[in-house]
Amino acid sequence: MFFLYNLVVQIAGFLLKTVALFSPKIKLFVDGRKSVFSTLSDKISASDKTIWFHAASLGEYEQGLPVMEQIREKFPTHKIVVTFFSPSGYEVRKNNTVADVTVYLPLDTKKNAQTFLKLVHPEMVFFIKYEFWPNYLNELKNQNIKTYLISGIFREKQSFFKWYGGFYRNALKNINYFFVQNENSKKLLQNIGFHNVKVSGDTRFDRVVSILDRDNSLDFIEQFRNDTTTIVIGSSWPKDESLLINYINQSDDNLKFIIAPHNIKPEQIQQLKSGIAKKTVLFSEKENINLADYQVFIIDTIGILTKIYSYADIAYVGGGFGNPGVHNLLEPATFGIPIVIGPNYSHFAEATALVNIKGCISIANQNKLNQAFDLLTQNEDERYEKGHICGTFVQMNKGATNTILKHILT
């Protein structure tokens, strides 16, 4: 089976090089891996002690960040190596401050795994949430390197739990310990013979709780908001925006909106702006104007949405009309504000929980969106209660990082 797997990986590597000629994203994927080994050779010496974290993409990096920060504090003489599989993670976080070295993970061939581990020679390895690369895991086992899965989540539909999933079940045998998010994941692993499992919870809660301790102030948002009830729309897609624009255009003048779209390509930003009848300003246009005079503020930049959520009275989180569904609810939730989302959220445990406990409202059409926003803007008690539920939910679920560290250090 390893022969067939390695053949597929080799073919995929060849095809990716061809596709890269036509796809900018795949070109980043391919070109970014060309210098990995030389970078590792330059930045890591044979005498260095190292700890390696692997994240599939940006979401997994953010999920693992609290553990990375604690490991950095507990092992100050070790170098932290972070790898990404996808360009959407690497390109955004390649200049992060928690790692000493950040690179793409070379494709999962036996030779790549051996070369990578020879250069990095980690004492411990953490895979975040998922991505189980058989060659890397096999080499880690062969070299007796402690390997952990953190914030893991498993579902019955995965191949590990099917009659044909023996190859990947064997790959899991190379992991020393599983820290999973929920009891269902633990039971699924136990049902196939894994008992080195602990329900630690989701480290994302620790990350978003830590946001409250930092400086979230933004002078230009304060000027725009001007003590007016404000709805912050984060990570919106066109399907979200078509409903939101209709509501914005018929809303009262004593309500303001901040929109941070998922995609900030100029043509899409202009299309969004052109559909709004209210007085609208872009982040890129904000200099030397009185932002308080505007009702809609479109954020055509990245990296500040979390801070913007701290100014929200109500949050709308986009993605819920697409596949796989809604974006990150925990960032607005940690600020104790009510949240509105689209209908596709069932793949996300925190979204499902927040809807069930009524901190979050799921809407499926224009009428439901109008009702949700009218309720939250016109009824302060309802707005406060749902916000309190969201904030409490985050606080009650923190602590995964401490559980993981306690186990590792004892």
Side-chain angles (χ1 to χ4, degrees):
M1 188 64 184
F2 249 114
F3 173 79
L4 181 60
Y5 173 80
N6 286 328
L7 179 62
V8 170
V9 173
Q10 293 284 358
I11 292 171
F14 174 78
L15 293 175
L16 285 167
K17 291 177 182 178
T18 303
V19 176
L21 299 174
F22 310 97
S23 168
K25 184 174 182 179
I26 299 300
K27 181 174 172 58
L28 287 172
F29 181 97
V30 172
D31 290 348
R33 285 168 164 78
K34 291 178 180 178
S35 60
V36 169
F37 293 142
S38 61
T39 299
L40 293 173
S41 181
D42 289 341
K43 294 189 175 183
I44 300 174
S45 68
S47 61
D48 286 331
K49 296 179 180 180
T50 68
I51 298 172
W52 169 31
F53 287 84
H54 174 66
S57 191
L58 181 60
E60 291 70 40
Y61 169 84
E62 298 292 346
Q63 199 157 29
L65 188 57
V67 180
M68 295 181 208
E69 291 172 338
Q70 285 295 307
I71 288 289
R72 161 133 253 142
E73 183 178 317
K74 301 294 184 184
F75 297 88
T77 61
H78 287 61
K79 285 188 174 179
I80 305 297
V81 178
V82 172
T83 58
F84 286 94
F85 183 75
S86 82
S88 56
Y90 175 80
E91 295 300 325
V92 175
R93 289 290 181 261
K94 60 186 175 184
N95 296 318
N96 69 83
T97 56
V98 73
D100 298 281
V101 187
T102 302
V103 293
Y104 281 99
L105 181 69
L107 290 179
D108 185 37
T109 67
K110 184 175 182 179
K111 183 179 179 181
N112 280 348
Q114 290 174 337
T115 303
F116 181 90
L117 291 177
K118 182 179 180 180
L119 292 169
V120 177
H121 48 82
E123 289 185 10
M124 290 186 287
V125 177
F126 297 87
F127 286 82
I128 304 165
K129 192 175 181 179
Y130 51 67
E131 283 211 335
F132 306 96
W133 299 112
N135 280 307
Y136 280 99
L137 289 171
N138 196 46
E139 287 301 320
L140 287 165
K141 181 73 171 181
N142 290 342
Q143 297 184 33
N144 199 30
I145 298 170
K146 289 184 178 179
T147 304
Y148 303 97
L149 177 72
I150 58 175
S151 287
I153 191 159
F154 292 88
R155 298 182 176 90
E156 287 185 52
K157 293 182 179 180
Q158 290 173 302
S159 60
F160 310 113
F161 313 109
K162 304 296 185 182
W163 64 266
Y164 52 81
F167 177 68
Y168 278 99
R169 283 195 293 274
N170 285 333
L172 293 183
K173 293 178 181 178
N174 299 320
I175 295 175
N176 292 86
Y177 212 87
F178 299 84
F179 297 97
V180 296
Q181 294 186 29
N182 53 43
E183 285 289 343
N184 185 60
S185 294
K186 180 180 179 179
K187 289 177 182 177
L188 286 169
L189 287 170
Q190 288 178 332
N191 288 342
I192 58 172
F194 293 94
H195 298 281
N196 50 335
V197 187
K198 180 174 290 187
V199 178
S200 59
D202 189 343
T203 51
R204 285 183 304 161
F205 288 95
D206 298 325
R207 188 190 73 80
V208 296
V209 166
S210 70
I211 291 170
L212 298 175
D213 296 326
R214 75 184 188 191
D215 180 7
N216 291 297
S217 60
L218 295 168
D219 291 344
F220 57 89
I221 296 295
E222 290 182 15
Q223 183 187 34
F224 168 79
R225 190 173 181 275
N226 196 29
D227 294 323
T228 305
T229 301
T230 300
I231 297 175
V232 173
I233 297 160
S235 303
S236 59
W237 289 77
K239 286 185 179 179
D240 302 294
E241 291 158 5
S242 63
L243 305 183
L244 292 161
I245 287 172
N246 289 335
Y247 185 83
I248 291 169
N249 286 343
Q250 58 86 44
S251 66
D252 294 334
D253 289 344
N254 61 352
L255 190 61
K256 292 199 172 191
F257 300 85
I258 302 173
I259 308 174
H262 179 77
N263 193 324
I264 58 169
K265 291 181 179 179
E267 60 271 20
Q268 291 186 275
I269 292 293
Q270 288 303 320
Q271 184 176 357
L272 172 61
K273 184 180 180 181
S274 66
I276 299 172
K278 300 289 185 178
K279 194 173 182 183
T280 303
V281 63
L282 305 182
F283 174 86
S284 57
E285 303 169 337
K286 68 181 175 61
E287 300 302 326
N288 302 316
I289 61 174
N290 185 7
L291 293 171
D293 293 338
Y294 293 81
Q295 277 188 271
V296 182
F297 195 174
I298 298 176
I299 310 300
D300 55 343
T301 188
I302 61 173
I304 59 174
L305 175 57
T306 303
K307 290 188 175 186
I308 292 173
Y309 278 135
S310 71
Y311 290 92
D313 295 290
I314 302 157
Y316 179 96
V317 178
F321 284 91
N323 184 26
V326 68
H327 287 278
N328 186 1
L329 273 68
L330 295 182
E331 289 185 351
T334 198
F335 292 109
I337 52 178
I339 302 168
V340 180
I341 60 174
N344 298 341
Y345 62 87
S346 61
H347 285 292
F348 303 92
E350 68 278 8
T352 301
L354 282 171
V355 170
N356 288 342
I357 62 178
K358 302 188 185 306
C360 176
I361 301 173
S362 173
I363 57 96
N365 53 48
Q366 186 73 62
N367 185 49
K368 293 296 184 181
L369 181 139
N370 293 352
Q371 289 177 9
F373 278 165
D374 285 348
L375 171 68
L376 295 172
T377 56
Q378 296 169 17
N379 188 326
E380 279 193 38
D381 289 340
E382 191 75 23
R383 188 164 76 229
Y384 174 82
E385 178 61 23
K386 290 186 180 300
H388 180 70
I389 290 170
C390 287
T392 302
F393 173 76
V394 173
Q395 291 293 330
M396 291 293 289
N397 283 281
K398 67 183 181 181
T401 301
N402 288 337
T403 300
I404 293 167
L405 266 291
K406 183 178 180 181
H407 180 93
I408 290 169
L409 296 174
T410 54

